[in-house]
Each structure stands twice: as C-alpha cells, then as structure tokens.
C-alpha cells in the first residue's frame, strides 16, 4: 500500500520528459547558424502554443535540462582524443582530438499563427537564444583546438593526458561563467515574452 502511494506521488510530481528529436526543416532554417556550425547536431523540442503566455508555459513544462536546471536551449559537447602509436610508442605529437556538439533549441510549430507583435517578440528572442547557444559551441570548438595544441606540444603522453583534463575543466568553467555573466542569455535578449 505504501509503495503504491509512493509510486503514485512520484508519478504526479515527476518532471515531464522532454522529447528531443533531430531538427525539423523549419528549425534548421530558423537556426541555420547552429545547423551549419562544425561538428554540430541541431535538435529541437516541439512547442505548439500560439500565444506568448501559452508558449512560455509550454516551454517551462517541456524544455530540456542542463546541469539539473531546465533551460530554454542547451549546448553540450564531447571530446575524444587518441594518441596513435609511432614506432610502437605513444607519441603526443600525433595526438588527435575529435569533438561533437549538440545544440537543442525550441521548435515553434505555429509561428505563422502568432499575432504580429508576438511573432516579432519570438523572432527577437529566438535570434538572441540562437546566438547565445552558438557562443557556447564556439567555446567548445576553441576548447578542442586548445586540447589538440596542448596534446601535441606535451613532453610525453602522460603530460598530454594531464593537459586534456585541465583544458576540459577550463572549457566547462568558461561555459558556466558565460552563462553566469549573461544570466543564461537573458542579458543578451534571450527572454520571452
């Protein structure tokens, strides 16, 4: 009995799952800068509301989570690196970094059905949000470039591995600081309505 009550309570208080999918053609067109960013996958979560207040309410319910907090958009990245052996030994000068970035943006289905003022507000907001997320992608790309440089200039593979850990931490810290300084893009205009 207690277990079933706990399960019912958990189901009632659980956050709604965000359904994220590959970007629609509409989103790829609206977020062309993100879609074209190197090594980047653009994804979207569907918003179907047709008024400013309803859009905000729906976004608050279904937007993705980043570091335990729901955000209107998120950018994440992953680095992988390797040290191809040369003459049977690890050679940091041959170190390779591969990176993958994922940007998740709101995909407003009914933009054309919005009132003119709401559509203009949405367009300003979306442009600012897109710029903010692409700036996160730029931080990640710069981090990959720094990783490659540090790896290849390291004295040995152990020093290269240490450098990768330090740069990973610095890239994450730079992204967090960017969000702190811009209040997750709000100070750059990424606020709706």
């Amino acid at each position: 009995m207690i277990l079933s009550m706990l399960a019912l309570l958990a189901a009632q208080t659980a956050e709604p799952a965000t359904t994220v999918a590959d970007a629609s053609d509409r989103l790829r067109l609206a977020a062309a800068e993100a879609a074209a960013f190197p090594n980047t996958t653009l994804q979207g979560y569907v918003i179907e509301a047709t008024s400013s207040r309803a859009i905000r309410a729906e976004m608050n319910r279904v937007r993705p989570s980043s570091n335990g907090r729901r955000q209107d958009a998120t950018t994440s990245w992953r680095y992988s690196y390797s040290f191809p052996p040369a003459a049977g030994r690890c050679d940091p000068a041959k170190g390779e970094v591969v990176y993958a970035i994922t940007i998740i943006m709101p995909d407003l289905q009914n933009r054309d059905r919005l009132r003119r003022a709401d559509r203009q507000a949405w367009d300003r907001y979306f442009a600012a949000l897109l710029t903010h997320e692409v700036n996160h992608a730029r931080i990640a790309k710069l981090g990959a470039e720094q990783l490659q440089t540090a790896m290849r200039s390291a004295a040995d593979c152990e020093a290269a591995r240490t450098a990768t850990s330090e740069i990973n931490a610095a890239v994450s810290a730079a992204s967090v600081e960017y969000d702190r300084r811009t209040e997750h893009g709000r100070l750059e205009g990424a606020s709706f309505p």
Side-chain angles (χ1 to χ4, degrees), residues 15-21 44-46 59 61-65 70 104:
E15 290 184 16
T18 300
T19 303
V20 174
Y45 63 97
V46 172
M59 285 177 64
R61 274 194 324 277
V62 301
R63 61 192 178 168
S65 179
R70 288 188 171 275
I104 302 173

Side-chain angles (χ1 to χ4, degrees), residues 21-35 42-45 103-109 122 126 130:
D22 288 338
S24 66
D25 289 341
R26 174 187 46 259
L27 182 57
R28 270 193 290 285
L29 184 60
E33 186 178 8
L42 177 62
Q43 296 181 321
Y45 63 97
I103 297 175
I104 302 173
M105 296 284 294
D107 187 358
L108 183 61
Q109 306 287 298
W122 173 264
F126 189 87
L130 176 62

Side-chain angles (χ1 to χ4, degrees), residues 113-163:
R113 291 179 49 203
L114 298 178
R115 290 179 341 175
R116 185 173 158 202
D118 289 345
R119 189 171 49 249
Q120 290 172 340
W122 173 264
D123 290 347
R124 280 190 301 273
Y125 156 77
F126 189 87
L129 185 64
L130 176 62
T131 297
H132 181 80
E133 295 309 318
V134 169
N135 284 339
H136 278 292
R138 286 186 177 105
I139 291 168
K141 182 179 181 289
L142 179 60
E145 293 165 359
Q146 290 174 345
L147 275 168
Q148 182 117 348
T149 299
M151 285 170 52
R152 290 185 174 180
S153 62
D156 56 39
C157 287
E158 188 58 38
R161 286 184 187 93
T162 299

Side-chain angles (χ1 to χ4, degrees), residues 38-40 76-84 94-101 140-149 151-152 164 168:
N39 302 333
T40 299
S76 59
W77 57 91
R78 187 181 71 256
Y79 300 129
S80 54
Y81 30 87
S82 62
F83 302 96
K94 298 202 183 297
E96 293 290 331
V97 175
V98 176
Y99 67 97
I101 299 170
K141 182 179 181 289
L142 179 60
E145 293 165 359
Q146 290 174 345
L147 275 168
Q148 182 117 348
T149 299
M151 285 170 52
R152 290 185 174 180
T164 61
N168 270 323

Side-chain angles (χ1 to χ4, degrees), residues 18 30 33 35-36 50 55 57 92 137 177 179:
T18 300
E33 186 178 8
T50 57
I55 289 169
E177 175 61 15
D179 274 337

